[in-house]
Amino acid sequence: MDALTLLWTLLKIMIVLLALPVVVGISTWAERKVLGRLQIRFGPNRAGPFGVLQWVADAVKLITKEYVVPAAANRWLFMAAPLFTFVPAATVYTLIPFGRGLVITDVNAGLLMLMAIGSLSIYGVIFGGWASNSKYSLLGALRSASQMIAYELALGLSLVGVVLMAGSLSLVEIVEAQRRVPFVLLQPLGFLIFLIAGIAETNRIPFDLPEAEGELGAGYHTEYSAMGFGIFQLGEYASVWTISALAATLFLGGWQGPWAQSVAGLSLLWFFAKSILFILLFYWLRATLPRLRYDQLMAFGWKVLLPASLLNLLWVAAVVALRART
Amino acid sequence: MIGALVTGFLTTLKHVFRKPVTIQYPEERREPAPRFRGLHALRRYPETGEERCISCCLCARICPTQCIRLVTSGEERKVIDEYDVDLGHCLFCGLCAEVCPEEAIVLSPRYEASYYQRGETILRKSDLLRHGEGL
Ligand code: SF4
Ligand code: SF4
């Protein structure tokens, strides 16, 4: 790798890292706004026109507040834990193709790497829950760990279907493979499984048991205040974007769309449009569904989602074999 | 189960197109119900402008939280020197207004009772009389 490529890559990383908090901030505002409308109320509408500056106000508030570390907490782990959720969530963006030729690195085992990095974020939750030295946090962390194991299996198996069909682990090539038909049409079951497992991965309603404010206070981040909490939140929204971007990339053809081949800017637009579709779905889910009970969640993960993902694999294999013959 | 999910999703989706029910508070205010029990007020006789209260202290006696404090003076017809209501303790039960023989103390429709300091939650006689204007 020569110096120029290195510089160019660094620049791209900087752009993504700088854009991420802004995008996340705006999506917290958008979530509150959309959620408000779904619940027949306005949502934030004071700071700036339509309340668009609300997230800036929130950020300023979080940054300037006192960072309280509980006396009985494991100090260093407690402070490091939020980073463990945020850093992996931010790192996966190095692998996602935002548009035609717009990707930081095209790793040939990209999907595998993505899964590996993505699963690291669970450490943040576990460390945060354990280091807080609070029973609510610990329970939240334990729940999160078992939930992740249950749903990551289904998630992984649904991704195998994608890999089988695309014949590659590289995200760029997976997008290329969907030039004619997006995978959602070929394996709708796989798409559904990915979506459900993905939502469970992000710990969002209806799978937000790790933080269940009803019974656990706020689960693993009960004891967090100020920017520690802020970074956890940043990580959560970053992973919401990750799952949305992945769903768009793996099943809806990523940046592919009319005229995306000829105009690079348009491909970026397509990618964002498709991702935002999923973001909106996240909001809609949150406004509609109650939180699942813990045993229901586990039963659903192991007894429904896992067999279904195996079934999907069988189906995909059959489709691929048929395609190869004709 | 699927049917219930679909109904739920459609319901929330329908709500997007409805007008929000929120009242935009500082600009829009809601009219309290006629019997609303808000902040206390002391009334005057509209004709003479004389205070209605005869300092019988019944209100202070019946108050379950003892948050009314009266200081009176004079022999023939007592005058009230001080009349404090501590909103920090008040239940807004309305017993004081109910027991008052002169209908002097009433609960007004005012409902804005947020203060910056704890001491401010005590309504003085002047505040009460001000609240009573037009009641
Ligand atoms: S409303 Fe009830 S609690 Fe309040 S001052 Fe009157 S009697 Fe006391
Ligand atoms: S009961 Fe009425 S008249 Fe008697 S002291 Fe209280 S406010 Fe005055």
Side-chain angles (χ1 to χ4, degrees):
Chain A
M1 193 187 282
D2 56 296
L4 207 66
T5 343
L6 193 68
L7 218 65
W8 178 223
T9 311
L10 274 178
L11 189 74
K12 282 196 280 193
I13 291 173
M14 282 307 287
I15 292 172
V16 170
L17 270 188
L18 287 180
L20 195 64
V22 176
V23 170
V24 162
I26 291 174
S27 52
T28 59
W29 165 76
E31 161 153 37
R32 293 174 60 185
K33 207 72 193 164
V34 172
L35 211 59
R37 294 315 294 241
L38 284 163
Q39 295 169 343
I40 343 180
R41 54 192 178 82
F42 287 108
N45 60 357
R46 294 284 152 174
F50 300 104
V52 279
L53 296 178
Q54 187 63 45
W55 67 275
V56 182
D58 286 342
V60 169
K61 187 194 83 172
L62 283 175
I63 289 168
T64 50
K65 274 202 160 182
E66 186 190 357
Y67 190 89
V68 182
V69 180
N74 183 326
R75 195 177 172 84
W76 295 110
L77 208 51
F78 183 85
M79 304 237 274
L83 290 177
F84 277 94
T85 58
F86 176 68
V87 171
T91 312
V92 294
Y93 286 99
T94 51
L95 299 162
I96 294 173
F98 293 103
R100 189 164 56 86
L102 291 175
V103 57
I104 295 178
T105 47
D106 178 17
V107 181
N108 58 7
L111 202 53
L112 213 57
M113 186 167 159
L114 204 130
M115 280 295 284
I117 298 174
S119 341
L120 283 181
S121 61
I122 176 67
Y123 282 112
V125 174
I126 293 179
F127 288 164
W130 182 79
S132 301
N133 204 354
S134 143
K135 47 189 170 296
Y136 297 125
S137 303
L138 190 60
L139 273 175
L142 286 178
R143 279 181 177 186
S144 189
S146 42
Q147 176 176 328
M148 290 276 176
I149 293 168
Y151 283 82
E152 203 135 304
L153 273 177
L155 190 77
L157 282 175
S158 70
L159 291 184
V160 174
V162 173
V163 173
L164 262 183
M165 227 167 233
S168 164
L169 277 166
S170 146
L171 284 154
V172 174
E173 278 170 40
I174 288 173
V175 173
E176 290 292 344
Q178 299 179 68
R179 177 174 297 186
R180 270 183 299 139
V181 205
F183 286 164
V184 61
L185 297 177
L186 296 174
Q187 38 176 320
L189 184 62
F191 172 65
L192 207 65
I193 292 165
F194 175 81
L195 212 58
I196 294 173
I199 295 164
E201 285 287 293
T202 57
N203 292 336
R204 295 217 7 143
I205 284 176
F207 303 107
D208 66 336
L209 282 128
E211 49 174 292
E213 65 271 21
E215 70 256 32
L216 290 185
Y220 62 94
H221 56 54
T222 305
E223 306 294 339
Y224 279 88
S225 51
M227 216 40 210
F229 173 75
I231 292 176
F232 263 133
Q233 215 60 1
L234 215 63
E236 181 182 322
Y237 277 90
S239 53
V240 166
W241 268 97
T242 312
I243 292 294
S244 304
L246 269 184
T249 307
L250 301 177
F251 290 95
L252 289 195
W255 49 264
Q256 309 262 19
W259 300 293
Q261 290 293 342
S262 41
V263 196
L266 206 60
S267 64
L268 191 69
L269 222 64
W270 274 114
F271 172 77
F272 271 104
K274 286 173 183 174
S275 307
I276 286 170
L277 218 62
F278 288 105
I279 299 273
L280 289 176
L281 181 72
F282 270 98
Y283 298 166
W284 192 11
L285 276 170
R286 177 162 173 197
T288 308
L289 297 179
R291 181 179 306 125
L292 285 178
R293 216 172 56 212
Y294 191 62
D295 58 323
Q296 292 170 335
L297 177 96
M298 287 321 253
F300 183 71
W302 289 108
K303 294 183 192 160
V304 180
L305 223 50
L306 196 61
S309 57
L310 289 172
L311 203 70
N312 174 60
L313 211 55
L314 216 65
W315 158 258
V316 173
V319 171
V320 171
L322 270 179
R323 269 175 141 194
R325 186 167 299 174
T326 51
Chain B
M1 192 189 94
I2 303 287
L5 278 181
V6 171
T7 321
F9 278 115
L10 287 183
T11 310
T12 39
L13 192 62
K14 241 185 354 228
H15 286 173
V16 177
F17 303 105
R18 281 178 56 183
K19 195 179 168 303
V21 292
T22 323
I23 295 173
Q24 291 297 299
Y25 164 63
E27 294 94 36
E28 284 175 62
R29 279 147 206 269
R30 69 192 295 175
E31 201 47 49
R35 299 189 58 178
F36 186 78
R37 301 199 295 263
L39 300 187
H40 304 67
L42 278 173
R43 293 166 73 212
R44 294 170 188 271
Y45 287 109
E47 303 85 29
T48 56
E50 206 184 336
E51 288 169 22
R52 275 174 177 256
C53 177
I54 51 167
S55 14
C56 67
C57 294
L58 280 177
C59 51
R61 287 210 67 149
I62 202 165
C63 176
T65 58
Q66 301 184 351
C67 62
I68 299 181
R69 193 177 70 94
L70 275 146
V71 177
T72 60
S73 61
E75 281 299 321
E76 279 295 297
R77 195 188 191 292
K78 287 197 173 157
V79 287
I80 316 168
D81 297 326
E82 286 174 39
Y83 192 120
D84 298 346
V85 178
D86 188 350
L87 295 180
H89 291 252
C90 177
L91 312 162
F92 295 95
C93 63
L95 283 179
C96 48
E98 219 168 281
V99 80
C100 178
E102 298 294 319
E103 297 192 346
I105 187 140
V106 289
L107 297 185
S108 71
R110 286 167 190 267
Y111 53 80
E112 277 149 334
S114 47
Y115 305 100
Y116 284 101
Q117 264 151 27
R118 221 164 17 153
E120 290 174 55
T121 61
I122 298 175
L123 295 180
R124 308 286 171 192
K125 189 183 168 192
S126 53
D127 303 319
L128 294 167
L129 282 171
R130 189 163 39 77
H131 290 176
E133 280 161 21
L135 282 177

